[in-house]
Amino acid sequence: MPLPDGINLVMDKVSHLHQITVDHLRKYDPLVLTISVFGGTLVYLKVSRIYSRSEQPLLKRLRAYAFAQARKLPFVQRKIAKEMAPAKADILKSIHKDDNDRVFIAELPKKGKTPVEVQQLATQYDAYGRFDVSEGKVSGTVYTDRADEHLEMLAKIYHDYAYSNPLHADVFPGVRKMEAEVIRIVLNLYHAPAGSSGSLTTGGTESIIMACFAYRNLAQARGIESPVILCATTAHAAFDKAAHLCGMRIRHVPVDANCRLDVKAMKRMITNDVCVLVGSSPNYPTGTIDPIKEISELGLKHNIPVHVDACLGGFLVPFMEEAGYGIDLFDFRLPGVTSISCDTHKYGCTPKGSSIVMYRTQELHHHQFFTVPEWSGGIYATPTIAGSRAGANAAVAWATLLYLGKDEYVRRCREIIKSTRVIAQGMKKIAGIKLMGSSDVSVVAFTSDQFNIYAVGDLLHKKGYNLNTLQNPQAIHVCLTYNHANEKAVNAFLADVREAAATVSQSPDKGKGSATAALYGMAAQVPDMSLVEEMTFAYLDACYAEPPKQ
Ligand SMILES: *Cc1c(COP(=O)(O)O)cnc(C)c1O
Protein backbone atom coordinates (compact mmCIF):
# COMPACT_ATOMS: atom_id res chain seq x y z
CA MET A 1 0.00 0.00 0.00
CA PRO A 2 1.56 3.30 -1.05
CA LEU A 3 2.03 5.87 1.69
CA PRO A 4 0.34 9.22 1.23
CA ASP A 5 2.63 11.87 -0.29
CA GLY A 6 2.63 13.97 2.83
CA ILE A 7 4.12 11.21 4.92
CA ASN A 8 6.77 10.44 2.33
CA LEU A 9 7.79 14.04 2.34
CA VAL A 10 8.05 14.13 6.10
CA MET A 11 9.99 10.87 6.22
CA ASP A 12 12.35 12.35 3.65
CA LYS A 13 12.88 15.39 5.80
CA VAL A 14 13.42 13.28 8.90
CA SER A 15 16.08 11.12 7.31
CA HIS A 16 17.75 14.20 5.90
CA LEU A 17 17.77 15.79 9.35
CA HIS A 18 19.08 12.59 10.82
CA GLN A 19 21.95 12.60 8.32
CA ILE A 20 22.84 16.19 9.14
CA THR A 21 22.85 15.31 12.83
CA VAL A 22 25.04 12.29 12.32
CA ASP A 23 27.48 14.31 10.21
CA HIS A 24 27.53 16.95 12.88
CA LEU A 25 28.08 14.50 15.71
CA ARG A 26 31.03 12.92 13.90
CA LYS A 27 32.98 16.01 14.76
CA TYR A 28 32.82 15.14 18.48
CA ASP A 29 34.81 12.76 20.57
CA PRO A 30 32.69 9.64 21.29
CA LEU A 31 33.45 9.99 25.01
CA VAL A 32 32.10 13.55 25.09
CA LEU A 33 29.08 12.35 23.19
CA THR A 34 28.40 9.49 25.57
CA ILE A 35 28.77 11.72 28.61
CA SER A 36 26.49 14.41 27.21
CA VAL A 37 23.83 11.91 26.19
CA PHE A 38 23.99 10.38 29.65
CA GLY A 39 23.97 13.81 31.35
CA GLY A 40 21.17 15.03 29.12
CA THR A 41 19.08 12.00 30.03
CA LEU A 42 19.66 12.65 33.72
CA VAL A 43 18.63 16.31 33.33
CA TYR A 44 15.59 15.24 31.32
CA LEU A 45 14.60 12.70 33.99
CA LYS A 46 15.09 15.26 36.75
CA VAL A 47 13.04 17.92 34.96
CA SER A 48 10.28 15.51 34.04
CA ARG A 49 10.18 14.23 37.60
CA ILE A 50 9.94 17.78 38.98
CA TYR A 51 7.27 18.40 36.37
CA SER A 52 5.12 15.38 37.19
CA ARG A 53 5.46 15.61 40.93
CA SER A 54 3.53 18.80 41.43
CA GLU A 55 0.65 20.62 39.82
CA GLN A 56 2.19 24.08 40.26
CA PRO A 57 2.82 26.06 37.07
CA LEU A 58 6.30 25.28 35.73
CA LEU A 59 7.38 28.92 35.75
CA LYS A 60 6.50 29.28 39.41
CA ARG A 61 8.45 26.16 40.27
CA LEU A 62 11.47 27.24 38.26
CA ARG A 63 11.38 30.58 40.03
CA ALA A 64 11.16 28.88 43.41
CA TYR A 65 14.05 26.64 42.39
CA ALA A 66 16.14 29.65 41.34
CA PHE A 67 15.40 31.39 44.64
CA ALA A 68 16.26 28.28 46.61
CA GLN A 69 19.62 28.05 44.79
CA ALA A 70 20.33 31.77 45.31
CA ARG A 71 19.50 31.40 48.99
CA LYS A 72 22.33 28.90 49.38
CA LEU A 73 24.89 31.61 48.67
CA PRO A 74 26.57 32.48 51.98
CA PHE A 75 26.19 36.25 51.69
CA VAL A 76 22.49 35.91 50.82
CA GLN A 77 22.06 33.57 53.78
CA ARG A 78 23.71 36.06 56.12
CA LYS A 79 21.56 38.92 54.87
CA ILE A 80 18.33 36.96 55.21
CA ALA A 81 19.26 35.71 58.67
CA LYS A 82 20.00 39.29 59.75
CA GLU A 83 16.69 40.59 58.41
CA MET A 84 14.74 37.69 59.88
CA ALA A 85 16.25 37.83 63.36
CA PRO A 86 14.07 40.64 64.79
CA ALA A 87 10.92 39.05 63.33
CA LYS A 88 11.84 35.71 64.88
CA ALA A 89 12.47 37.35 68.26
CA ASP A 90 9.06 39.02 67.98
CA ILE A 91 7.37 35.71 67.28
CA LEU A 92 9.08 34.10 70.27
CA LYS A 93 8.00 36.98 72.50
CA SER A 94 4.45 36.94 71.25
CA ILE A 95 4.03 33.18 71.79
CA HIS A 96 5.09 33.56 75.41
CA LYS A 97 3.21 36.78 76.17
CA ASP A 98 0.67 35.04 78.41
CA ASP A 99 3.27 33.01 80.28
CA ASN A 100 3.66 35.43 83.15
CA ASP A 101 5.57 33.06 85.43
CA ARG A 102 8.46 32.45 83.06
CA VAL A 103 9.22 29.27 84.94
CA PHE A 104 9.85 26.41 82.55
CA ILE A 105 10.18 22.86 83.79
CA ALA A 106 12.91 21.33 81.65
CA GLU A 107 14.10 18.58 83.97
CA LEU A 108 12.22 15.62 85.32
CA PRO A 109 11.64 16.39 89.02
CA LYS A 110 13.88 14.13 91.08
CA LYS A 111 11.15 13.43 93.57
CA GLY A 112 7.61 13.31 92.30
CA LYS A 113 5.23 16.11 93.23
CA THR A 114 2.06 15.44 95.19
CA PRO A 115 -1.23 15.37 93.29
CA VAL A 116 -2.12 18.70 94.94
CA GLU A 117 1.09 20.31 93.69
CA VAL A 118 0.59 19.02 90.18
CA GLN A 119 -3.01 20.20 90.20
CA GLN A 120 -1.93 23.65 91.39
CA LEU A 121 0.48 23.97 88.49
CA ALA A 122 -2.12 22.80 86.01
CA THR A 123 -4.60 25.37 87.31
CA GLN A 124 -1.95 28.06 87.03
CA TYR A 125 -1.17 27.13 83.41
CA ASP A 126 -4.87 27.03 82.58
CA ALA A 127 -5.23 30.63 83.74
CA TYR A 128 -2.85 31.85 80.99
CA GLY A 129 -5.73 31.69 78.49
CA ARG A 130 -7.25 35.14 77.89
CA PHE A 131 -10.07 34.42 75.49
CA ASP A 132 -13.58 34.06 76.74
CA VAL A 133 -14.84 31.00 74.95
CA SER A 134 -18.15 30.79 76.82
CA GLU A 135 -19.17 34.33 75.82
CA GLY A 136 -18.96 33.43 72.13
CA LYS A 137 -15.88 35.48 71.32
CA VAL A 138 -13.82 32.66 69.84
CA SER A 139 -14.46 31.38 66.32
CA GLY A 140 -14.75 27.57 66.18
CA THR A 141 -12.16 25.95 68.51
CA VAL A 142 -14.45 24.87 71.39
CA TYR A 143 -17.80 23.71 70.04
CA THR A 144 -19.70 22.96 73.22
CA ASP A 145 -20.62 24.82 76.39
CA ARG A 146 -18.57 22.43 78.54
CA ALA A 147 -21.39 21.93 81.01
CA ASP A 148 -20.30 20.56 84.39
CA GLU A 149 -22.49 17.48 84.22
CA HIS A 150 -20.99 16.49 80.87
CA LEU A 151 -17.39 17.12 81.96
CA GLU A 152 -17.81 15.30 85.25
CA MET A 153 -19.12 12.28 83.40
CA LEU A 154 -16.15 12.45 80.99
CA ALA A 155 -13.73 12.64 83.91
CA LYS A 156 -15.13 9.36 85.26
CA ILE A 157 -15.03 7.71 81.86
CA TYR A 158 -11.45 8.92 81.38
CA HIS A 159 -10.58 7.50 84.78
CA ASP A 160 -11.76 4.06 83.74
CA TYR A 161 -10.35 4.04 80.19
CA ALA A 162 -7.15 6.10 80.56
CA TYR A 163 -4.83 3.19 79.81
CA SER A 164 -6.97 1.32 77.32
CA ASN A 165 -5.69 0.70 73.81
CA PRO A 166 -7.88 -0.57 70.97
CA LEU A 167 -4.72 -1.96 69.29
CA HIS A 168 -5.02 -4.73 71.87
CA ALA A 169 -8.64 -5.64 71.28
CA ASP A 170 -8.22 -8.83 73.32
CA VAL A 171 -7.02 -6.97 76.43
CA PHE A 172 -9.58 -4.16 76.04
CA PRO A 173 -12.71 -5.71 74.51
CA GLY A 174 -14.88 -2.88 75.89
CA VAL A 175 -13.07 -0.07 74.18
CA ARG A 176 -13.01 -2.00 70.91
CA LYS A 177 -16.78 -2.19 71.11
CA MET A 178 -17.03 1.53 71.85
CA GLU A 179 -15.01 2.37 68.74
CA ALA A 180 -17.12 0.07 66.61
CA GLU A 181 -20.34 1.57 67.99
CA VAL A 182 -19.27 5.19 67.44
CA ILE A 183 -18.27 4.38 63.85
CA ARG A 184 -21.55 2.56 63.16
CA ILE A 185 -23.64 5.35 64.72
CA VAL A 186 -21.97 7.91 62.44
CA LEU A 187 -22.23 5.63 59.37
CA ASN A 188 -25.96 5.40 60.04
CA LEU A 189 -26.27 9.18 60.42
CA TYR A 190 -24.82 9.39 56.90
CA HIS A 191 -27.15 6.71 55.48
CA ALA A 192 -24.32 4.31 54.71
CA PRO A 193 -25.52 1.14 52.94
CA ALA A 194 -25.02 -2.42 54.15
CA GLY A 195 -21.40 -3.45 53.77
CA SER A 196 -20.12 0.03 54.64
CA SER A 197 -17.21 0.48 57.01
CA GLY A 198 -15.00 3.09 58.64
CA SER A 199 -12.38 4.01 61.21
CA LEU A 200 -12.08 6.27 64.21
CA THR A 201 -9.07 8.56 63.79
CA THR A 202 -7.42 11.27 65.87
CA GLY A 203 -9.02 14.13 63.94
CA GLY A 204 -10.18 15.50 60.61
CA THR A 205 -6.68 15.72 59.20
CA GLU A 206 -6.01 12.05 59.84
CA SER A 207 -9.41 11.08 58.41
CA ILE A 208 -8.60 12.99 55.21
CA ILE A 209 -5.08 11.55 55.01
CA MET A 210 -6.50 8.04 55.40
CA ALA A 211 -9.06 8.53 52.62
CA CYS A 212 -6.43 9.97 50.25
CA PHE A 213 -4.07 7.12 51.16
CA ALA A 214 -6.79 4.58 50.35
CA TYR A 215 -7.48 6.22 46.98
CA ARG A 216 -3.80 6.41 46.19
CA ASN A 217 -3.44 2.70 46.85
CA LEU A 218 -6.56 1.91 44.83
CA ALA A 219 -5.29 4.06 41.94
CA GLN A 220 -1.88 2.41 41.98
CA ALA A 221 -3.56 -0.99 41.97
CA ARG A 222 -5.41 0.20 38.87
CA GLY A 223 -2.11 1.18 37.23
CA ILE A 224 -2.10 4.95 37.83
CA GLU A 225 1.48 5.79 38.73
CA SER A 226 1.15 9.33 39.97
CA PRO A 227 -2.42 9.82 41.25
CA VAL A 228 -4.04 13.26 41.49
CA ILE A 229 -6.45 14.60 44.11
CA LEU A 230 -8.96 16.99 42.53
CA CYS A 231 -10.48 19.43 45.02
CA ALA A 232 -11.60 23.06 45.24
CA THR A 233 -9.25 25.92 46.12
CA THR A 234 -11.41 26.17 49.26
CA ALA A 235 -10.83 22.54 50.31
CA HIS A 236 -9.07 22.11 53.65
CA ALA A 237 -5.25 22.25 53.72
CA ALA A 238 -5.36 18.67 55.06
CA PHE A 239 -5.75 17.53 51.42
CA ASP A 240 -2.46 19.26 50.53
CA LYS A 241 -0.89 17.59 53.55
CA ALA A 242 -2.29 14.21 52.47
CA ALA A 243 -0.90 14.71 48.96
CA HIS A 244 2.48 15.61 50.43
CA LEU A 245 2.59 12.64 52.81
CA CYS A 246 1.30 10.11 50.30
CA GLY A 247 3.45 11.37 47.41
CA MET A 248 0.39 12.34 45.38
CA ARG A 249 -0.36 15.36 43.24
CA ILE A 250 -3.16 17.77 44.04
CA ARG A 251 -5.00 19.94 41.54
CA HIS A 252 -7.17 22.81 42.75
CA VAL A 253 -10.46 23.56 41.03
CA PRO A 254 -11.62 27.21 41.02
CA VAL A 255 -14.79 28.25 42.85
CA ASP A 256 -17.65 30.40 41.54
CA ALA A 257 -18.70 33.84 42.80
CA ASN A 258 -20.47 32.12 45.68
CA CYS A 259 -17.28 30.27 46.74
CA ARG A 260 -18.82 26.99 45.53
CA LEU A 261 -16.71 24.48 43.60
CA ASP A 262 -17.13 25.07 39.85
CA VAL A 263 -18.30 21.65 38.59
CA LYS A 264 -17.74 22.54 34.92
CA ALA A 265 -14.15 23.45 35.72
CA MET A 266 -13.77 20.23 37.70
CA LYS A 267 -15.02 18.26 34.73
CA ARG A 268 -12.48 19.95 32.45
CA MET A 269 -9.68 19.18 34.91
CA ILE A 270 -10.35 15.43 35.02
CA THR A 271 -7.54 13.39 33.48
CA ASN A 272 -6.69 9.69 33.54
CA ASP A 273 -4.61 10.04 36.69
CA VAL A 274 -7.27 11.67 38.89
CA CYS A 275 -7.94 9.22 41.72
CA VAL A 276 -10.53 11.11 43.80
CA LEU A 277 -12.94 14.03 43.42
CA VAL A 278 -13.42 16.02 46.62
CA GLY A 279 -16.36 18.15 47.72
CA SER A 280 -16.77 19.90 51.07
CA SER A 281 -19.98 19.94 53.07
CA PRO A 282 -19.31 22.69 54.02
CA ASN A 283 -15.87 24.17 53.30
CA TYR A 284 -13.82 25.75 56.07
CA PRO A 285 -13.19 29.27 54.69
CA THR A 286 -16.74 30.38 53.95
CA GLY A 287 -18.98 27.58 55.20
CA THR A 288 -20.33 27.01 51.69
CA ILE A 289 -21.50 23.53 50.66
CA ASP A 290 -20.06 22.37 47.33
CA PRO A 291 -22.45 20.90 44.72
CA ILE A 292 -22.05 17.36 46.08
CA LYS A 293 -24.81 15.87 43.90
CA GLU A 294 -23.11 17.07 40.71
CA ILE A 295 -19.68 15.92 41.93
CA SER A 296 -21.20 12.51 42.73
CA GLU A 297 -22.62 12.29 39.20
CA LEU A 298 -19.26 13.29 37.74
CA GLY A 299 -17.59 10.56 39.79
CA LEU A 300 -20.05 7.93 38.58
CA LYS A 301 -19.70 9.03 34.97
CA HIS A 302 -15.90 8.90 35.01
CA ASN A 303 -15.62 5.97 37.42
CA ILE A 304 -13.66 8.08 39.94
CA PRO A 305 -14.31 7.82 43.72
CA VAL A 306 -15.84 10.86 45.46
CA HIS A 307 -14.87 11.99 48.96
CA VAL A 308 -17.12 14.35 50.90
CA ASP A 309 -15.30 16.37 53.55
CA ALA A 310 -17.89 16.90 56.26
CA CYS A 311 -15.24 17.33 58.97
CA LEU A 312 -16.45 20.75 60.04
CA GLY A 313 -20.19 20.30 59.66
CA GLY A 314 -20.11 16.60 60.48
CA PHE A 315 -22.53 16.89 63.36
CA LEU A 316 -24.65 19.69 61.88
CA VAL A 317 -25.46 18.70 58.30
CA PRO A 318 -27.08 15.34 59.21
CA PHE A 319 -29.47 17.19 61.55
CA MET A 320 -30.34 20.24 59.43
CA GLU A 321 -33.37 18.65 57.78
CA GLU A 322 -34.93 17.76 61.13
CA ALA A 323 -33.93 21.15 62.57
CA GLY A 324 -36.09 22.74 59.88
CA TYR A 325 -33.44 23.88 57.44
CA GLY A 326 -33.51 22.53 53.90
CA ILE A 327 -30.31 20.98 52.62
CA ASP A 328 -29.44 19.12 49.41
CA LEU A 329 -28.29 15.52 49.70
CA PHE A 330 -24.62 15.23 50.63
CA ASP A 331 -24.20 11.69 52.01
CA PHE A 332 -24.17 8.02 50.93
CA ARG A 333 -27.68 8.41 49.51
CA LEU A 334 -25.84 9.91 46.52
CA PRO A 335 -24.60 6.81 44.67
CA GLY A 336 -21.30 8.37 43.58
CA VAL A 337 -20.18 9.26 47.12
CA THR A 338 -17.66 6.61 48.17
CA SER A 339 -16.24 8.09 51.40
CA ILE A 340 -16.96 10.81 53.97
CA SER A 341 -14.91 12.38 56.75
CA CYS A 342 -16.86 13.63 59.79
CA ASP A 343 -15.36 15.15 62.91
CA THR A 344 -16.87 14.12 66.20
CA HIS A 345 -14.51 16.56 67.94
CA LYS A 346 -16.10 19.60 66.31
CA TYR A 347 -19.91 19.83 66.47
CA GLY A 348 -20.06 16.30 67.86
CA CYS A 349 -18.85 18.08 71.01
CA THR A 350 -16.43 15.33 72.00
CA PRO A 351 -13.04 16.24 73.49
CA LYS A 352 -10.30 16.72 70.86
CA GLY A 353 -8.84 13.58 69.38
CA SER A 354 -11.63 11.91 67.43
CA SER A 355 -13.02 11.91 63.92
CA ILE A 356 -14.57 9.30 61.66
CA VAL A 357 -13.59 8.30 58.13
CA MET A 358 -16.30 6.27 56.38
CA TYR A 359 -16.35 4.14 53.24
CA ARG A 360 -19.22 2.87 51.15
CA THR A 361 -17.63 -0.59 51.02
CA GLN A 362 -15.31 -2.68 53.15
CA GLU A 363 -13.20 -3.22 50.06
CA LEU A 364 -12.45 0.51 49.84
CA HIS A 365 -11.69 0.60 53.56
CA HIS A 366 -9.14 -2.18 53.07
CA HIS A 367 -7.04 0.15 50.91
CA GLN A 368 -6.26 2.24 54.02
CA PHE A 369 -5.16 -0.76 56.12
CA PHE A 370 -1.49 -1.57 56.58
CA THR A 371 0.04 -4.88 57.45
CA VAL A 372 3.50 -6.44 57.78
CA PRO A 373 2.73 -10.15 57.71
CA GLU A 374 6.39 -11.18 58.16
CA TRP A 375 7.41 -8.80 60.95
CA SER A 376 9.73 -10.36 63.55
CA GLY A 377 7.43 -8.93 66.23
CA GLY A 378 4.53 -11.01 64.94
CA ILE A 379 1.95 -10.46 62.21
CA TYR A 380 1.28 -6.74 62.36
CA ALA A 381 -1.82 -4.89 61.15
CA THR A 382 -3.20 -1.41 61.84
CA PRO A 383 -6.22 0.36 60.34
CA THR A 384 -4.96 3.96 60.64
CA ILE A 385 -1.71 5.92 61.00
CA ALA A 386 -1.33 5.21 64.71
CA GLY A 387 0.01 2.06 66.21
CA SER A 388 -1.24 2.21 69.78
CA ARG A 389 -4.39 4.26 70.06
CA ALA A 390 -5.76 6.27 72.97
CA GLY A 391 -8.72 4.17 74.03
CA ALA A 392 -9.82 7.05 76.24
CA ASN A 393 -10.43 9.14 73.12
CA ALA A 394 -12.85 6.56 71.82
CA ALA A 395 -14.44 6.22 75.25
CA VAL A 396 -15.11 9.94 75.79
CA ALA A 397 -16.39 10.27 72.21
CA TRP A 398 -18.72 7.32 72.72
CA ALA A 399 -19.91 8.71 76.07
CA THR A 400 -20.57 12.17 74.59
CA LEU A 401 -22.63 10.82 71.69
CA LEU A 402 -24.76 8.72 74.03
CA TYR A 403 -25.07 11.54 76.59
CA LEU A 404 -26.18 14.26 74.16
CA GLY A 405 -28.39 12.10 71.96
CA LYS A 406 -30.09 12.97 68.70
CA ASP A 407 -32.68 15.41 70.06
CA GLU A 408 -30.01 17.54 71.68
CA TYR A 409 -27.84 17.56 68.54
CA VAL A 410 -30.89 18.62 66.49
CA ARG A 411 -31.69 21.36 69.02
CA ARG A 412 -28.12 22.68 69.07
CA CYS A 413 -27.99 22.52 65.27
CA ARG A 414 -31.20 24.60 65.05
CA GLU A 415 -29.84 27.24 67.45
CA ILE A 416 -26.47 27.46 65.69
CA ILE A 417 -27.93 27.70 62.16
CA LYS A 418 -30.49 30.25 63.32
CA SER A 419 -27.79 32.42 64.89
CA THR A 420 -25.56 32.08 61.82
CA ARG A 421 -28.34 33.34 59.56
CA VAL A 422 -29.10 36.26 61.88
CA ILE A 423 -25.42 37.25 61.84
CA ALA A 424 -25.21 36.89 58.04
CA GLN A 425 -28.32 39.05 57.57
CA GLY A 426 -27.06 41.61 60.09
CA MET A 427 -23.63 41.82 58.45
CA LYS A 428 -25.21 42.67 55.09
CA LYS A 429 -26.55 45.85 56.66
CA ILE A 430 -23.17 47.02 57.97
CA ALA A 431 -21.68 49.74 55.74
CA GLY A 432 -18.60 48.53 53.86
CA ILE A 433 -18.94 44.87 54.83
CA LYS A 434 -19.36 42.33 52.03
CA LEU A 435 -20.27 38.70 52.71
CA MET A 436 -18.34 35.90 51.05
CA GLY A 437 -19.85 32.54 50.16
CA SER A 438 -23.35 31.59 51.15
CA SER A 439 -23.02 30.72 54.87
CA ASP A 440 -24.92 27.47 54.25
CA VAL A 441 -24.17 26.07 57.70
CA SER A 442 -22.33 27.77 60.58
CA VAL A 443 -19.66 30.09 59.13
CA VAL A 444 -20.00 33.74 58.17
CA ALA A 445 -17.07 35.01 56.06
CA PHE A 446 -16.76 38.67 55.20
CA THR A 447 -14.54 41.15 53.43
CA SER A 448 -14.73 44.75 52.19
CA ASP A 449 -14.22 46.71 48.99
CA GLN A 450 -13.87 49.93 50.92
CA PHE A 451 -11.27 49.24 53.58
CA ASN A 452 -8.81 46.58 54.70
CA ILE A 453 -10.86 43.89 56.42
CA TYR A 454 -7.88 42.68 58.47
CA ALA A 455 -7.96 46.00 60.35
CA VAL A 456 -11.51 45.16 61.44
CA GLY A 457 -10.23 41.79 62.63
CA ASP A 458 -7.42 43.45 64.58
CA LEU A 459 -9.86 45.85 66.28
CA LEU A 460 -12.14 42.95 67.20
CA HIS A 461 -9.09 41.11 68.54
CA LYS A 462 -8.47 44.04 70.89
CA LYS A 463 -12.06 43.63 72.06
CA GLY A 464 -11.34 40.04 73.06
CA TYR A 465 -12.45 38.26 69.88
CA ASN A 466 -10.48 35.51 68.22
CA LEU A 467 -11.62 35.24 64.60
CA ASN A 468 -9.95 33.49 61.66
CA THR A 469 -7.95 35.17 58.91
CA LEU A 470 -8.57 34.07 55.30
CA GLN A 471 -6.53 34.94 52.22
CA ASN A 472 -6.74 34.81 48.40
CA PRO A 473 -8.89 36.90 48.68
CA GLN A 474 -8.38 38.67 52.01
CA ALA A 475 -11.29 38.10 54.38
CA ILE A 476 -12.09 36.98 57.91
CA HIS A 477 -14.65 34.56 59.22
CA VAL A 478 -16.47 33.62 62.36
CA CYS A 479 -17.40 29.98 62.86
CA LEU A 480 -20.34 29.84 65.24
CA THR A 481 -20.36 27.22 67.97
CA TYR A 482 -22.94 26.42 70.60
CA ASN A 483 -21.34 29.24 72.60
CA HIS A 484 -22.48 31.78 69.98
CA ALA A 485 -25.96 30.35 69.63
CA ASN A 486 -27.83 32.92 71.69
CA GLU A 487 -29.24 36.38 71.16
CA LYS A 488 -26.77 38.05 73.51
CA ALA A 489 -23.65 36.79 71.73
CA VAL A 490 -25.15 37.44 68.28
CA ASN A 491 -26.14 41.03 69.08
CA ALA A 492 -22.82 41.79 70.76
CA PHE A 493 -20.95 40.46 67.73
CA LEU A 494 -22.95 42.52 65.24
CA ALA A 495 -22.57 45.68 67.34
CA ASP A 496 -18.81 45.16 67.69
CA VAL A 497 -18.31 44.54 63.95
CA ARG A 498 -20.42 47.64 63.15
CA GLU A 499 -18.28 49.76 65.44
CA ALA A 500 -14.96 48.34 64.17
CA ALA A 501 -16.02 48.78 60.52
CA ALA A 502 -16.98 52.42 61.18
CA THR A 503 -13.64 53.11 62.87
CA VAL A 504 -11.62 51.58 60.04
CA SER A 505 -13.62 53.28 57.29
CA GLN A 506 -12.98 56.64 58.96
CA SER A 507 -9.25 56.02 59.39
CA PRO A 508 -7.03 57.85 56.88
CA ASP A 509 -5.26 54.72 55.60
CA LYS A 510 -8.46 52.62 55.56
CA GLY A 511 -6.77 50.01 57.71
CA LYS A 512 -3.83 49.32 55.40
CA GLY A 513 -1.39 49.83 58.26
CA SER A 514 -2.93 47.31 60.66
CA ALA A 515 -0.63 44.55 61.92
CA THR A 516 -2.33 41.69 60.08
CA ALA A 517 -2.68 43.74 56.87
CA ALA A 518 1.04 44.50 57.03
CA LEU A 519 1.97 40.85 57.65
CA TYR A 520 -0.17 39.42 54.86
CA GLY A 521 0.78 42.30 52.56
CA MET A 522 4.44 41.51 53.07
CA ALA A 523 3.88 37.79 52.60
CA ALA A 524 2.07 38.49 49.32
CA GLN A 525 4.98 40.64 48.10
CA VAL A 526 7.89 38.27 48.72
CA PRO A 527 8.16 36.22 45.54
CA ASP A 528 9.95 33.48 47.44
CA MET A 529 7.42 31.44 49.42
CA SER A 530 10.27 29.71 51.23
CA LEU A 531 10.77 32.93 53.22
CA VAL A 532 7.15 32.84 54.39
CA GLU A 533 7.70 29.16 55.14
CA GLU A 534 10.72 30.06 57.25
CA MET A 535 8.59 32.43 59.31
CA THR A 536 6.00 29.72 59.89
CA PHE A 537 8.82 27.44 61.06
CA ALA A 538 9.95 30.18 63.44
CA TYR A 539 6.41 30.19 64.81
CA LEU A 540 6.39 26.42 65.29
CA ASP A 541 9.87 26.50 66.85
CA ALA A 542 8.65 29.19 69.25
CA CYS A 543 5.78 26.95 70.34
CA TYR A 544 8.32 24.40 71.61
CA ALA A 545 10.78 26.91 73.01
CA GLU A 546 11.55 27.89 76.57
CA PRO A 547 10.30 31.40 77.38
CA PRO A 548 12.76 34.19 76.47
CA LYS A 549 14.18 36.25 79.34
CA GLN A 550 12.06 39.28 80.08
C1 LIG B 1 -11.35 21.31 60.75
C2 LIG B 1 -11.47 20.84 59.36
C3 LIG B 1 -10.68 19.79 58.88
C4 LIG B 1 -9.50 19.21 59.65
O1 LIG B 1 -9.83 18.78 60.88
P1 LIG B 1 -8.83 18.72 62.13
O2 LIG B 1 -9.68 18.03 63.10
O3 LIG B 1 -8.47 20.13 62.50
O4 LIG B 1 -7.64 17.94 61.75
C5 LIG B 1 -10.93 19.33 57.63
N1 LIG B 1 -11.87 19.88 56.85
C6 LIG B 1 -12.64 20.92 57.26
C7 LIG B 1 -13.66 21.49 56.35
C8 LIG B 1 -12.44 21.44 58.52
O5 LIG B 1 -13.14 22.50 58.92
Side-chain angles (χ1 to χ4, degrees), residues 304-359:
I304 303 172
V306 172
H307 181 83
V308 175
D309 179 17
C311 280
L312 181 63
F315 266 70
L316 291 176
V317 284
F319 304 119
M320 276 177 72
E321 190 88 61
E322 201 170 326
Y325 293 98
I327 179 167
D328 293 335
L329 288 187
F330 55 86
D331 59 22
F332 288 113
R333 283 171 290 180
L334 295 171
V337 172
T338 49
S339 61
I340 302 176
S341 48
C342 160
D343 283 359
T344 34
H345 74 188
K346 283 181 177 164
Y347 292 96
C349 298
T350 72
K352 288 297 178 215
S354 74
S355 167
I356 309 290
V357 58
M358 300 170 260
Y359 297 91

Side-chain angles (χ1 to χ4, degrees), residues 149-262:
E149 187 183 69
H150 181 194
L151 289 191
E152 278 155 21
M153 174 192 74
L154 293 185
K156 287 201 194 84
I157 300 275
Y158 192 87
H159 174 276
D160 295 347
Y161 284 86
Y163 287 88
S164 66
N165 180 356
L167 182 68
H168 303 291
D170 48 352
V171 185
F172 305 103
V175 88
R176 179 212 55 80
K177 183 168 159 176
M178 284 171 166
E179 258 200 356
E181 286 180 352
V182 170
I183 296 163
R184 189 51 59 186
I185 286 172
V186 178
L187 278 163
N188 281 329
L189 279 178
Y190 281 81
H191 299 94
S196 59
S197 186
S199 288
L200 189 126
T201 67
T202 55
T205 300
E206 193 187 347
S207 289
I208 287 168
I209 291 169
M210 289 332 299
C212 292
F213 180 64
Y215 291 129
R216 187 204 70 174
N217 295 341
L218 173 67
Q220 288 182 339
R222 285 178 175 179
I224 301 173
E225 254 180 59
S226 177
V228 175
I229 300 166
L230 199 50
C231 64
T233 51
T234 48
H236 197 276
F239 288 97
D240 297 81
K241 189 174 187 174
H244 184 68
L245 286 172
C246 302
M248 305 165 81
R249 288 184 283 162
I250 182 163
R251 200 172 288 160
H252 290 102
V253 182
V255 292
D256 65 15
N258 231 346
C259 299
R260 213 178 290 278
L261 180 142
D262 180 343

Side-chain angles (χ1 to χ4, degrees), residues 66-81:
F67 269 108
Q69 295 310 311
R71 282 195 56 185
K72 286 185 184 156
L73 299 171
F75 81 94
V76 177
Q77 266 181 354
R78 275 196 300 275
K79 188 156 166 55
I80 289 176

Side-chain angles (χ1 to χ4, degrees), residues 286 420 423-424 427 435 439 442-446 476-480:
T286 68
T420 306
I423 287 190
M427 298 287 274
L435 290 190
S439 296
S442 60
V443 173
V444 182
F446 50 101
I476 44 186
H477 90 199
V478 58
C479 172
L480 279 82

Side-chain angles (χ1 to χ4, degrees), residues 269-291:
M269 290 166 82
I270 290 178
T271 51
N272 286 336
D273 35 21
V274 170
C275 72
V276 58
L277 307 177
V278 176
S280 302
S281 177
N283 67 35
Y284 166 83
T286 68
T288 306
I289 300 181
D290 286 331

